[in-house]
């Protein structure tokens, strides 16, 4: 069964850091670009970052560039999102997404709350 | 980053046809086309179509996508209650080197 499962969300104070993980299974993880997408309460989907299959090429949305870092460990079939200097507006459900002709596989999401 | 433009809401009667639109520019929708996703409350999004009118396996033929210039459209025929939800378009923007989403359209089936 092809699936991705996020973890690592929680409550964090403004200015602090958090690292999200995404465990992939059921497909050849190393062959596909992987993304992080979020949805804040009352808002729409927002694309955050993508890392290509070779682990080297990455792209970011302007809203997180310089604060968030996407990475992957193909030996562990795991995707990461390191989030630094978190702000109130970063509160959202964060989704890990596999790309194969579109965003074809989504996780259930992990919630991040930024609050003092 | 400039996103794609979608109408915030569309309401249609049961068994009727709804057409949702998504407007971008020549660097995104007009370049590589758009993908469409559906999201129900409390669930992750689901891919409905990619690169304009390619449906993943398991997606009903009632959903069809197209593109004209810089505007992508998703047509849903024979509306059912389960079609209610939020619909998003997305596209790769070659100038921004980033993916962009539309703001989403909330579809209500009356």
């Amino acid at each position: 069964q092809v699936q991705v499962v996020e973890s690592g969300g929680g409550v964090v104070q403004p200015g602090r850091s958090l690292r999200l993980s995404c465990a992939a299974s059921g497909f050849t993880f190393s062959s596909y670009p992987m993304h992080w997408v979020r949805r804040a309460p009352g808002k729409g989907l927002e694309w955050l970052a993508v890392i290509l299959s070779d682990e080297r090429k990455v792209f970011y949305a302007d809203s997180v560039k310089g604060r968030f870092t996407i990475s992957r460990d193909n030996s562990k079939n795991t995707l990461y999102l390191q989030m630094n200097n978190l702000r109130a507006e970063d509160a959202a459900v964060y989704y890990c997404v596999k790309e194969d002709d579109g965003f074809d596989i989504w996780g259930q999401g992990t919630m991040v709350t930024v609050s003092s | 980053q400039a996103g794609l433009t979608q109408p915030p809401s569309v309401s249609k009667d049961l068994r009727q046809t709804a057409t949702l639109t998504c407007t971008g520019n020549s660097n995104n929708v007009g370049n590589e086309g758009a993908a469409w996703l559906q999201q129900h409350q409390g669930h992750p999004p689901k891919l409905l179509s990619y690169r304009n009118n390619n449906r993943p396996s398991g997606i009903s033929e009632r959903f069809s996508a197209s593109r004209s210039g810089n505007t992508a459209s998703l047509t849903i025929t024979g509306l059912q209650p389960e079609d209610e939800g939020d619909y998003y378009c997305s596209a790769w923007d070659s100038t921004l080197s980033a993916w962009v989403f539309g703001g989403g359209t909330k579809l209500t089936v009356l």
Side-chain angles (χ1 to χ4, degrees):
Chain A
Q1 180 188 1
V2 176
Q3 65 175 1
V4 293
V5 179
E6 305 92 340
S7 61
V11 181
V12 61
Q13 293 177 327
R16 304 300 292 263
S17 298
L18 203 62
R19 188 176 85 154
L20 305 182
S21 299
C22 168
S25 59
F27 63 98
T28 306
F29 177 73
S30 59
S31 296
Y32 297 95
M34 296 294 297
H35 301 252
W36 287 100
V37 176
R38 70 184 178 188
R39 185 171 184 183
K43 300 207 170 176
L45 296 173
E46 181 186 13
W47 175 82
L48 300 177
V50 60
I51 183 166
L52 302 189
S53 55
D54 65 3
E55 303 183 32
R56 286 192 292 262
K57 201 80 169 171
V58 297
F59 298 94
Y60 295 95
D62 285 347
S63 59
V64 302
K65 200 173 293 183
R67 295 191 302 127
F68 289 12
T69 301
I70 188 171
S71 62
R72 65 192 296 164
D73 185 337
N74 286 342
S75 68
K76 295 182 178 178
N77 291 344
T78 303
L79 177 73
Y80 303 99
L81 185 68
Q82 176 67 43
M83 304 187 294
N84 297 332
N85 190 21
L86 282 161
R87 307 165 179 165
E89 56 264 34
D90 294 318
V93 175
Y94 285 72
Y95 295 102
C96 164
V97 190
K98 167 182 170 285
E99 180 193 342
D100 180 16
D101 286 329
F103 299 126
D104 68 326
I105 300 296
W106 294 68
Q108 291 298 312
T110 187
M111 183 171 292
V112 173
T113 301
V114 183
S115 173
S116 54
Chain B
Q1 262 154 337
L4 308 176
T5 300
Q6 297 183 250
S9 63
V10 168
S11 297
K12 288 288 183 180
D13 289 329
L14 191 65
R15 293 183 294 275
Q16 295 303 300
T17 295
T19 297
L20 312 183
T21 59
C22 167
T23 302
N25 58 44
S26 59
N27 300 313
N28 43 60
V29 175
N31 185 11
E32 296 196 17
W36 288 90
L37 302 117
Q38 175 194 61
Q39 187 174 28
H40 291 128
Q41 185 78 18
H43 293 273
K46 178 169 71 174
L47 182 66
L48 297 177
S49 77
Y50 58 94
R51 269 187 260 120
N52 295 324
N53 195 22
N54 295 283
R55 271 189 306 273
S57 62
I59 300 300
S60 170
E61 291 180 353
R62 296 189 299 107
F63 295 91
S64 65
S66 62
R67 179 188 65 163
S68 176
N70 297 332
T71 297
S73 299
L74 177 72
T75 298
I76 312 170
T77 58
L79 282 168
Q80 300 297 309
E82 59 266 28
D83 296 331
E84 279 203 344
D86 296 323
Y87 289 79
Y88 296 90
C89 58
S90 67
W92 172 255
D93 191 298
S94 57
T95 298
L96 299 174
S97 291
W99 283 85
V100 288
F101 277 97
T105 295
K106 184 174 186 63
L107 175 65
T108 301
V109 180
L110 303 171

